[in-house]
Amino acid sequence: MINFGARGHDVTAADFESLAIGLEAQGARCVQLALGKSFPGVPSGPGAINPGMGEYCRATLAAHGVSVAVLGCYVNLTDPDPVRHAGAMAAFEAYLRHARYFGAPVVGTHPGRLGHIAESSARTASETAWREFRGTVERLVAVGERFGTIVGLEPCPHHALHDLDSTERLLREVDSPFLGIILDPAGHAIGDQAGDAAVDPSDPAEREVAVTEEAFRRFGDRIVAFHLKDFTVERGADGPTAIVPCQIGDGIAPVARLLQIVDRHRPYLPVITEGTRDDRIGEAIRNHSS
């Protein structure tokens, strides 16, 4: 049984009620809700988010059989500007405090990029940046532990968590059940060394399967949500160079095989469709429901 959901901003909606109706119509049982992306006209910053907003959202969605799997707070955790970084931390901490009112077990974001520190030694700079990043995560996890909310990081290329190795390192160094991973394997279909173990390492679809299997083998107990998206591939003289996201069913992603892996390792894990919009969400869910 797959616990299908969708990103809130992939559903055309003006408010919580129309979002709930739209998700229910597509057969989604949960949502990754980034308030600012779904409802850009509604204040949702650290000074605006509040218990009443959360309770209203939770009740409205629940009336249509939908829950918030991930509350999105997409800020730059590695911003080199101290003022902007402080603002990002304040926002994320406010979301961690209020997530319970939304019924959300996880607050999610991308890790942010390293490399803003200029030092003579590239290796030293890298390690210094990593320690700063780890300190940021440790601070957020401490807040999450206090309020019972999981910090969900989504590894992606060129960010602090850019492959399975860096992800596993952080999970080892910040060993708390309140640090979780939002796995988006399509982003690792090209470039992640874990894909080298694929049946056909030259095939990005096979690489995605290998990366997914390896991620669940290494840290499956820390995966708190799974992003499902389709893609095509840009190719150069030496083979695939980049993935190009598309709606589910229009690309080469081995969707059925990925869902089998998820179901085998983490039954009812939220599977969030990404980049597939409106009625195409329902089509994807119907085509892959068991």
Side-chain angles (χ1 to χ4, degrees), residues 11 79 118 122 136 173 262 286-287:
V11 176
D79 197 312
T136 290
E173 295 180 3
V262 172
R286 289 190 299 273
N287 288 342

Coordinates of all heavy atoms in Angstrom, one line a residue, residues 11 79 118 122 136 173 262 286-287:
V11 N -0.9 21.7 -7.0 CA -2.4 21.7 -7.1 C -2.9 23.1 -7.1 O -2.6 23.9 -6.3 CB -3.0 20.9 -5.8 CG1 -4.5 21.0 -5.9 CG2 -2.5 19.5 -5.8
D79 N 23.3 30.3 4.1 CA 23.5 31.6 3.6 C 24.7 32.3 4.3 O 24.8 32.3 5.5 CB 22.2 32.5 3.8 CG 22.2 33.7 3.0 OD1 23.2 34.4 2.9 OD2 21.2 34.0 2.4
A118 N 36.2 31.3 1.9 CA 37.5 31.4 1.1 C 38.7 31.2 2.0 O 39.0 32.1 2.8 CB 37.5 32.7 0.3
A122 N 41.6 24.3 0.0 CA 40.2 24.0 -0.4 C 39.7 22.9 0.5 O 38.5 23.0 0.9 CB 40.2 23.5 -1.9
T136 N 24.6 24.2 12.3 CA 23.3 24.7 12.0 C 22.2 23.6 12.2 O 21.2 23.8 12.8 CB 23.2 25.3 10.6 OG1 24.0 26.5 10.5 CG2 21.8 25.5 10.1
E173 N 27.0 11.9 12.3 CA 27.5 12.9 13.2 C 26.4 13.6 14.0 O 26.7 14.2 15.0 CB 28.3 13.9 12.3 CG 29.5 13.3 11.7 CD 30.3 14.3 10.9 OE1 30.0 15.5 10.8 OE2 31.3 13.9 10.3
V262 N 10.1 1.2 -2.0 CA 9.5 2.0 -0.8 C 8.6 1.1 0.0 O 8.7 1.0 1.2 CB 8.8 3.2 -1.3 CG1 8.0 3.9 -0.2 CG2 9.7 4.2 -2.0
R286 N -3.7 6.7 -9.7 CA -4.5 5.6 -10.2 C -3.7 4.5 -10.9 O -3.9 3.3 -10.7 CB -5.6 6.1 -11.1 CG -6.7 6.9 -10.4 CD -7.9 7.2 -11.3 NE -7.5 8.0 -12.5 CZ -7.5 9.3 -12.5 NH1 -7.8 10.0 -11.4 NH2 -7.2 9.9 -13.6
N287 N -2.7 5.0 -11.7 CA -1.9 4.0 -12.5 C -1.0 3.2 -11.6 O -0.6 2.1 -12.0 CB -1.1 4.8 -13.5 CG -1.9 5.3 -14.7 OD1 -3.1 4.9 -14.9 ND2 -1.4 6.3 -15.4

